[in-house]
Amino acid sequence: MVKIKLSSLELLRNSGYEIIEEGEQVIIRYNPPSISEAMSSDEDHEETNRVIEIVTRKENDELIILDAYIIEGNNKKRKLDKSELELWAEYVGES
């Protein structure tokens, strides 16, 4: 189970993340770097509007990650695995 501190939400809001709160459920969305940016390359790559969507549930002072996807256009392309989520949670915890 991957989780982050509930207090991280304000930091995420201030860092350009979209936060949608619906009762105990919180959806976090953000645009990851493009392939060119991630590779630090000037090569032309076909750019697609990509969004990471992370679905969480509030529990005490934490957000428990339930699901996370890479969305391209209007299609969920791939579910993020636990190791990817752990890396993101670690990054968010250090922000």
Side-chain angles (χ1 to χ4, degrees), residues 11-83:
L11 292 171
L12 294 176
R13 275 191 186 96
N14 294 333
S15 299
Y17 286 71
E18 178 184 4
I19 308 296
I20 302 165
E21 295 188 60
E22 299 173 347
E24 295 301 305
Q25 184 178 34
V26 178
I27 298 172
I28 302 167
R29 291 187 184 136
Y30 68 96
N31 295 89
S34 69
I35 293 172
S36 297
E37 291 170 330
M39 293 176 58
S40 299
S41 169
D42 291 333
E43 291 182 36
D44 285 336
H45 294 279
E46 186 176 318
E47 297 299 326
T48 305
N49 183 26
R50 294 172 24 152
V51 174
I52 304 293
E53 180 176 274
I54 301 171
V55 180
T56 70
R57 181 185 72 242
K58 291 180 189 176
E59 194 171 290
N60 300 318
D61 63 342
E62 297 178 318
L63 292 171
I64 309 299
I65 298 175
L66 304 174
D67 276 313
Y69 299 91
I70 295 175
I71 301 172
E72 291 182 0
N74 292 327
N75 299 317
K76 289 184 180 177
K77 291 303 252 186
R78 181 174 70 83
K79 188 172 182 171
L80 296 177
D81 65 34
K82 185 177 178 182
S83 65

